[in-house]
Amino acid sequence: MRIDRFLKAAGLGLVCALAPIAAVGPEAQNLRVVQGSVGRALSVPMNRAVVVESDIPFAELSIANPAIADISSLSDRTIYVLGKAPGTTTLTILDDAGRLISNVDVRVAADVAEFKERLGQILPGEAIEVRTANDGIVLSGTVSSVQSLDRALDLAERYAPERVSNLMSVGGVQQVMLKVRFAEMQRSVSKALRSSLSLIGDGFGGDLGVRATTGGSIGNTAVGQAAPQPSSTGAALLGFDVGGLEVGILLEALESKGVVRTLAEPNLTALSGQEAGFLAGGEYPVPVAQEGGTVSVDFKPFGIELNFVPRVVDGELINLELKTAVSAIDPANGVQADGFSINAFSRREASTTVELRDGESFAIAGLLQDDFSDLNGQVPWIGDIPVLGALFRSAEYQRSQTELVIIITPHLVTPTRGEALALPTDRVRPPSEKDLFLYGRVTDGSRRPNSGGAGEVARQDFNGSYGYVMD
């Protein structure tokens, strides 16, 4: 009896000595071993311990791989098993005659009990299943967002570095339709006042002609002509004779105003995390000199360009990595090279990353450009003469303003049936013979849209004031 009590006390002391080695966690498991078999395999968390009880007293214990699990006897019927490293090994139990009592499969895996507890605290409500496989952790189930998936993987790496298998899927809507609106207004005003004076008289057996001008290509005057001839809009010609002297005065005053309105609304849909591109315009051929004197052609795109990568972060929160550009051919700034005429390009682009929710809008770029030029010219000395000097002076005034705004709006979308989608051609029907020959209609006018964007365009008559107001 005293020996039995002594063995129990020694076993209790060994348990207390090994307790600091094991991580703090749930209570040790108990596995009962009967003659020749066990009820189930023994699962031991890494750095934790379980207790194995045998119905038959044993005399000898053996572990196949001590690096995976460590064993010690608490009594002739109780075994203490400590998990050391992930893996599977075998525990052999023998009696005092050397006969085999049983072989117990010991499986040591990462401690998922604490991991499950921490996962429930950090991501409550997420249906994530945690399993062990060999020496790693397997995560499965459905999460609500990519952000929750990344958090679960980061936490699992803390318990099994580089041994985490991800079988999770993201639920909810993961397709994003991006609506981009380009709105641009251009307003230009120019004013010019020029003058030209010519004198024609007889002298020394021939005609003597004198002309003074302060403008370019205002008029044409040759010897023997009575006065300069107007060659542009807004010119007034005055002429009179003083004896044998003919006097011609050409005054040119020109004012021009222009308004350009540009509006584009490209829409593009992409899967979360995938890049999508859009181009509405064309490609311009640009000659490129090669080695050996040959010339190749490189095509440069122009028009409305859009590239973006959407990421559904959490619920309806969308992260957008966006790059967009508006370009057009600009012949006024072209160059001549090796017999080729190459046009320039006017280009405005924006590249940014923003976060916003479904249906919210962001003005990601705005450009207001105001160009002003004023030029005065005169004939030297003569233009400084009071009153008469006004005929030898010219003045030009030009001003142009451009404003460009880019607004983006993302939407979470799902596929729909094809019958629910409308095409632009659905609203256009060929005209009947009556509409074509009697009324001069090129389409059937009975289906005029009244609502939506098509109805708004149909109601516009493009009359009235647009753009800036300049004084």
Side-chain angles (χ1 to χ4, degrees):
M1 181 64 69
R2 291 180 179 179
I3 295 176
D4 185 48
R5 291 179 179 177
F6 176 77
L7 291 175
K8 291 183 178 179
L12 181 61
L14 182 60
V15 172
C16 294
L18 294 175
I21 300 177
V24 179
E27 298 181 356
Q29 303 178 16
N30 290 317
L31 181 68
R32 182 170 295 277
V33 178
V34 297
Q35 181 67 34
S37 64
V38 294
R40 56 186 171 87
L42 180 63
S43 297
V44 183
M46 192 168 55
N47 297 327
R48 293 183 182 271
V50 297
V51 177
V52 178
E53 295 181 352
S54 176
D55 287 345
I56 301 173
F58 59 85
E60 185 178 353
L61 300 175
S62 176
I63 191 74
N65 189 350
I68 295 178
D70 193 11
I71 58 173
S72 61
S73 59
L74 301 179
S75 67
D76 60 349
R77 294 176 182 268
T78 308
I79 308 167
Y80 186 86
V81 182
L82 175 66
K84 298 174 64 177
T88 302
T89 186
T90 302
L91 170 64
T92 303
I93 306 175
L94 304 175
D95 60 9
D96 54 0
R99 293 188 298 269
L100 177 66
I101 297 177
S102 180
N103 285 326
V104 180
D105 291 333
V106 179
R107 298 176 181 173
V108 180
D111 184 13
V112 296
E114 182 182 359
F115 172 61
K116 289 181 179 179
E117 182 181 357
R118 296 291 181 265
L119 193 62
Q121 294 173 353
I122 296 175
L123 299 173
E126 298 289 354
I128 302 177
E129 299 179 2
V130 182
R131 298 182 179 89
T132 58
N134 196 6
D135 59 345
I137 296 177
V138 179
L139 301 180
S140 60
T142 303
V143 294
S144 60
S145 64
V146 177
Q147 187 177 20
S148 298
L149 185 145
D150 293 338
R151 290 177 179 176
L153 292 177
D154 291 342
L155 183 60
E157 287 288 338
R158 297 283 185 177
Y159 290 86
E162 299 182 358
R163 300 191 306 275
V164 179
S165 297
N166 177 25
L167 300 180
M168 295 181 293
S169 60
V170 181
V173 180
Q174 296 298 310
Q175 294 185 112
V176 179
M177 183 187 73
L178 183 64
K179 180 179 180 181
V180 184
R181 286 179 288 173
F182 298 87
E184 182 178 22
M185 288 295 301
Q186 297 180 0
R187 169 84 174 185
S188 62
V189 174
S190 64
K191 298 179 181 180
L193 177 62
R194 302 183 182 97
S195 61
S196 179
L197 175 65
S198 66
L199 302 174
I200 303 297
D202 297 333
F204 304 101
D207 293 334
L208 174 63
V210 179
R211 183 183 66 170
T213 177
T214 58
S217 68
I218 296 179
N220 298 320
T221 304
V223 177
Q225 286 185 337
Q229 302 299 316
S231 61
S232 60
T233 306
L237 178 60
L238 301 177
F240 57 92
D241 298 335
V242 180
L245 180 65
E246 297 181 5
V247 180
I249 301 175
L250 176 65
L251 298 178
E252 183 181 28
L254 181 63
E255 179 180 7
S256 63
K257 298 180 180 179
V259 175
V260 177
R261 175 190 180 192
T262 303
L263 179 64
E265 295 188 12
N267 296 336
L268 191 60
T269 303
L271 188 65
S272 176
Q274 301 297 318
E275 183 178 4
F278 179 90
L279 171 63
E283 292 186 340
Y284 180 77
V286 179
V288 180
Q290 303 292 333
E291 295 182 359
T294 61
V295 177
S296 63
V297 177
D298 187 15
F299 289 89
K300 180 179 178 61
F302 67 92
I304 304 295
E305 301 177 59
L306 173 63
N307 291 276
F308 79 105
V309 180
R311 295 181 179 90
V312 182
V313 180
D314 188 10
E316 296 184 349
L317 185 62
I318 303 170
N319 178 285
L320 284 176
E321 184 178 343
L322 179 69
K323 184 176 182 179
T324 183
V326 181
S327 58
I329 300 176
D330 186 10
N333 296 318
V335 296
Q336 299 286 336
D338 296 332
F340 292 98
S341 177
I342 304 175
N343 293 324
F345 285 85
S346 62
R347 183 178 179 88
R348 285 140 299 175
E349 64 179 23
S351 178
T352 183
T353 301
V354 294
E355 280 191 353
L356 60 171
R357 297 190 178 275
D358 180 16
E360 295 181 341
S361 297
F362 233 131
I364 63 168
L367 170 66
L368 178 60
Q369 182 177 353
D370 191 350
D371 297 329
F372 172 78
S373 63
D374 189 1
L375 177 63
N376 290 327
Q378 68 177 23
V379 176
W381 303 298
I382 301 178
D384 296 329
I385 300 175
V387 183
L388 184 61
L391 298 176
F392 299 91
R393 288 195 296 265
S394 67
E396 296 182 6
Y397 165 87
Q398 292 182 350
R399 185 179 183 184
S400 62
Q401 289 182 326
T402 301
E403 183 176 9
L404 173 65
V405 178
I406 303 176
I407 301 175
I408 61 170
T409 305
H411 296 280
L412 295 175
V413 295
T414 56
T416 184
R417 297 181 61 87
E419 297 81 5
L421 300 177
L423 299 176
T425 55
D426 294 342
R427 298 186 298 267
V428 179
R429 292 192 305 181
S432 63
E433 294 182 357
K434 176 181 178 181
D435 291 333
L436 180 60
F437 296 109
L438 185 58
Y439 298 106
R441 297 171 181 169
V442 295
T443 59
D444 185 7
S446 61
R447 300 187 63 185
R448 181 186 178 95
N450 297 319
S451 60
E456 180 182 355
V457 174
R459 289 190 296 269
Q460 292 180 356
D461 56 2
F462 300 102
N463 291 326
S465 301
Y466 289 92
Y468 298 97
V469 176
M470 294 184 179
D471 297 326

